Every structure is written in C-alpha cells, then in structure tokens.
Amino acid sequence: MRPSSSPSRRVLWPAAALALASATGLVGPAHAVTYGTPTIKLSSAYLSGAVGSTGDPTVAVTVAQSGADASALTVTATRSTRTTVAATSDVRVTGTGGGRTVAVTAHAQGYADLTLKVTGLGGRTATTTLHYAASPAVRYAADARYPTGASDASAAVDVGGGYILVGNDEDNTLRLYDGSASGAPVKTWALDNALGADKEVDIEGAARVGDTIYWTGSLGNNKDGVYKPDRNTVFTTTVSGSGAATSVTFGSAGHSLRDDLVAWDEANGDRYGFAAGTADGQTPKQADGFNVEGLEFAPGSTTTAYVGFRAPLVPPQTGGKALIVPVTDMDKVVHGTKATFGTPIELDLGGLSIRDLRRGAQGQFLILAGSWAADDNSDPQALYRWDGVAGHQPVKVLDLPTSDAGAWESVVSVPDLDAAGARVQLITDDGAADLYGDATEAKDLSHPEWQKSRTTWFTLS
C-alpha cells in the first residue's frame, strides 16, 4: 500500500520551483504591450486623373506605428467629399509593409477630397487627405497618357527608350517624361539662369541634330501685343545618355533671329508683313501676325533649319498658305551670328498653318497643322505628310480630333510612314483648357500635380 501525500507536501515542489525561477530571472512581472499612434504620409497631397483613362498617376503612401510591424497596418479610404467624382470604393490601395500605393478611378469631371485612414494595432488610427482632380473623358483614351507638372507642352523630342524631353511655353524648364506612363517628370532642367531670361522664352519648336537639340521661342509679341525680348531666343542643349538616363546641359543662345527675319522681309519687298506683324500692339495669333511654332532641319542638312510659322498665312486671309523660311546658318545663329535665309516655302495645308514639323529617320516629314487663331481648341487640326522639298506639296494623312480640351502642339517623332500600321505620338498644349470644370485655365492651377498635358498615339496607315 502506497503512503498518501500530505497537502503541504503537494505544494512544496511548485513553490520551490517558483522561487528558483524568480532567483534566476526566468520569470518577471507581466507588462502590457503599448502601441503608438500610427502615421500616414503621402508623397503628394494632390493627384489628378481622367475619366476612362488608362494608367493614371498614383500616390505613394508611407505608414508606420511604434511597437507594431508595418505589415499589420491597414489603409482604407473612409470619405469622399464628392462621390460622383470618385467614391471611397474607387480608391485602390496596394502594397504591404511601410510602403503602399494609392490609385483612384475617376467617374466624372471635378474635384474630390478623399480621406485616407491607417488603422494600427491597439485600435489606433490616423487620417490624411488626398486632394483629387478629375478631367473629362477623351477620345482615344486607351492610347492617351498625361504628363503632369506643367500644362503648356509646346515642343517635344524623342530621347530614346520611349522617353520624351518636353519644352513648355510658360516657363524655361525642360522636363523628361516616360512617354508610356502618366505622371510627374523623371527629371527637370531649369534654364532661366543659363538663358539670362527674366520671363519665359515661350518655347514653341525643337529639332535634334545628333546630340544637339535646337529650341526656338515664338519670336512674336505676347498676347497683349507687347514685345518681350526673352521670346526673341533660339538656343541649344546637349543631350547625353538616353531614356531615363538622359542628361541635358545648356549650349548657347542667340537673340536676334526675329530682327533678322524682319530686316530680310523688308529688304525683299515686305512680302510677308513681318514688320507690321511685330509692331507694338500687334497680337501674334492673327492671320497677319508673327508667330513661330515649328522647327526642323532641311533634308540632308545639319545647318539649314526650316522655321515654320503659325502666323502669318500667305496671303493673310481664309484659305491662305502656311509659311516656312529656311535659316541656312542656324548652327551659327544660336551663337549670335546674323541669320541668312533661303528661298521661302509656301505650303497648302487647307487654310491651316504650322504648329509643328518633324523629320523622321527615313527623311519623311510630318507637319502638324492647325489654326493661327488663339481659339484653336475647337478649330480643325490635321497631320500632313511631306518630303521636305520646296515646290512639292504635302498630303493630308489624318484629321485630328478636336472635341477634347487642349490643342495638338507637337510631334514627338516620325515613324516610317510607308510601314503598315505606322503610329505617331502627339502631345497637347492644355494651358488654356478648363480641365476640371471650374473655369480655371490649367496654366493657372495652383498645384503642379493638377497641371497636365496629354500624349496620344495615332495610327497613320
């Protein structure tokens, strides 16, 4: 028969074990886990989108909470001030850990403030506001992208790998964009100091020769008919690298091409009325005005540049022809040398003038044609094919849609126009457009994330 154990004996070993554990530090007093208030930060508090668009810009979100792993945090949209523009269900949050991405689908033109909430452990939360703006749907939406940060794209050059170097006519900054995506520029180069400019040069045209890009201002008066010397500028930049690795350095500038053009025209019977077109009080965007918007080099030449005019028409009336004046020493003009000129070229573009001209690798030209008038968002625009030879007339290859905001302003590059399915990318100047339905011109919007132009691919054949 086994002896029974007394109650005091039964509790001896647990008590001894606890005493030993306490002495060795294996057991201590229990502490509750404390979590701090989570944080949520946006890469930008402002975001734009477009109804029916593909690949709109996004915002990066950084979240954190002391005492917690960031992967345990959740981010949601909890409120929209205008659900008709974008509801909370239109906000998509992706990613894990401390970095998330927020995308918004637009349903109508306008503005909406979206409240984003991060929920952490311990029931703690924090919120922030994303100010969202949506522009209306456009034609060819699947092939449209929206470069942001500026709205007055006026000249564009292909720098390889699908990237585009863009000039803007409201400032002197060049912006590098991924032409396949919507969003902010990858890099920027502010050239005000290099140009010695107090105001915008009013960049309107660009042409590339090797690693040198030539840029021209409009050369005309401003919209009030006042001469601004900074607009009388042609300059160069040197490009190194390509694609996202593109780098730009300033080259040189000349500031007398306008004066040389006026003197040349006067010496040849005042055929084009350049003196009157540049007179004090003369606005540039008139049939008899003076406004340069196209620049490209002549076939086989690295020195003779075709300067294309938005105004004047020849003659300056409905149905007039578009004008090109060859500058035969453009490589020297950008260093301040007096310009010399070749025989002017007059082209029948159906009463339209030149908004851009671009030569491709095969020597073929595309001319972007539009109205000389300032109300050209609704006026006809078209693409013409040309061989670049004086006396040979261009042929229309495409009527462009003009029902959407903005005016087609630049040809990025010219494909082989004889290839089946050839596609060309164009870019708009949306500076005067009311993108968000509040009667504010895009150039006057207070946040660069809301300012944008639009690129679109068109099939030519």
Side-chain angles (χ1 to χ4, degrees):
M1 179 176 177
R2 295 178 60 189
S4 62
S5 299
S6 67
S8 61
R9 180 99 180 244
R10 284 199 300 269
V11 300
L12 175 62
W13 289 108
L18 288 171
L20 178 62
S22 177
T24 57
L26 296 177
V27 174
H31 294 284
V33 177
T34 302
Y35 300 107
T37 301
T39 58
I40 178 169
K41 296 180 180 179
L42 305 179
S43 59
S44 173
Y46 299 88
L47 182 67
S48 66
V51 177
S53 66
T54 300
D56 266 344
T58 59
V59 165
V61 182
T62 302
V63 294
Q65 184 184 27
S66 61
D69 190 300
S71 61
L73 279 59
T74 60
V75 178
T76 56
T78 59
R79 182 174 181 269
S80 169
T81 57
R82 285 191 67 188
T83 57
T84 54
V85 173
T88 56
S89 58
D90 297 314
V91 179
R92 303 179 309 284
V93 182
T94 57
T96 58
R100 315 290 172 92
T101 300
V102 169
V104 182
T105 299
H107 286 293
Q109 182 186 36
Y111 299 96
D113 283 351
L114 302 168
T115 301
L116 303 179
K117 181 174 77 171
V118 57
T119 302
L121 299 184
R124 303 246 180 164
T125 64
T127 62
T128 191
T129 300
L130 177 62
H131 306 285
Y132 182 69
S135 57
V138 298
R139 297 181 63 187
Y140 303 93
D143 291 316
R145 299 294 184 269
Y146 295 87
T148 64
S151 58
D152 295 80
S154 54
V157 177
D158 185 347
V159 292
Y163 283 75
I164 309 168
L165 188 62
V166 178
N168 183 66
D169 63 24
E170 288 293 316
D171 60 33
N172 300 320
T173 297
L174 302 181
R175 295 170 173 86
L176 178 68
Y177 292 99
D178 179 352
S180 67
S182 297
V186 177
K187 299 177 184 178
T188 62
W189 295 269
L191 301 180
D192 300 81
N193 290 338
L195 288 164
D198 296 320
K199 299 291 185 179
E200 72 273 11
V201 166
D202 194 23
I203 297 170
E204 292 292 355
R208 182 171 183 173
V209 176
D211 293 332
T212 300
I213 300 177
Y214 291 74
W215 307 84
T216 182
S218 66
L219 309 186
N221 294 341
N222 70 5
K223 64 182 180 180
D224 299 318
V226 177
Y227 172 59
K228 297 293 184 180
D230 289 329
R231 295 176 177 233
N232 187 8
T233 298
V234 289
F235 69 96
T236 64
T237 56
T238 300
V239 175
S240 59
S242 63
T246 296
S247 183
V248 172
T249 56
F250 179 76
S252 62
H255 303 283
S256 62
L257 182 55
R258 165 182 160 130
D259 309 274
D260 295 340
L261 281 162
V262 171
W264 166 80
D265 187 43
E266 288 184 313
N268 287 275
D270 198 30
R271 178 175 180 180
Y272 300 116
F274 287 171
T278 56
D280 186 42
Q282 172 68 52
T283 55
K285 296 175 183 178
Q286 301 290 333
D288 59 352
F290 182 93
N291 194 76
V292 168
E293 293 218 354
L295 184 68
E296 185 55 275
F297 281 80
S301 180
T302 59
T303 60
T304 296
Y306 285 163
V307 174
F309 285 79
R310 178 172 176 168
L313 286 179
V314 185
Q317 62 189 35
T318 300
K321 293 183 178 180
L323 175 64
I324 291 174
V325 176
V327 178
T328 60
D329 58 346
M330 184 61 85
D331 57 321
K332 296 181 176 63
V333 169
V334 293
H335 292 280
T337 299
K338 182 179 180 180
T340 58
F341 303 100
T343 302
I345 301 169
E346 299 172 9
L347 299 176
D348 184 357
L349 302 180
L352 300 178
S353 58
I354 293 171
R355 303 302 297 272
D356 195 22
L357 64 160
R358 179 72 68 238
R359 186 186 68 192
Q362 287 75 28
Q364 305 156 326
F365 283 72
L366 275 179
I367 300 174
L368 176 54
S371 171
W372 47 262
D375 60 347
D376 53 4
N377 282 14
S378 59
D379 288 333
Q381 291 198 261
L383 283 174
Y384 283 79
R385 175 177 178 166
W386 184 45
D387 62 8
V389 178
H392 292 187
Q393 288 301 312
V395 177
K396 185 191 291 188
V397 293
L398 184 68
D399 284 309
L400 294 169
T402 57
S403 57
D404 302 318
W408 302 108
E409 189 75 2
S410 185
V411 180
V412 175
S413 61
V414 178
D416 181 352
L417 300 179
D418 294 322
R423 283 161 57 86
V424 62
Q425 190 177 26
L426 307 182
I427 191 167
T428 62
D429 180 339
D430 282 20
D434 176 11
L435 293 177
Y436 306 116
D438 62 347
T440 301
E441 291 190 351
K443 69 177 70 177
D444 296 327
L445 291 166
S446 54
H447 305 290
E449 296 87 353
W450 288 352
Q451 295 183 348
K452 59 186 180 181
S453 296
R454 172 167 45 99
T455 67
T456 305
W457 286 93
F458 293 97
T459 300
L460 300 178
S461 58

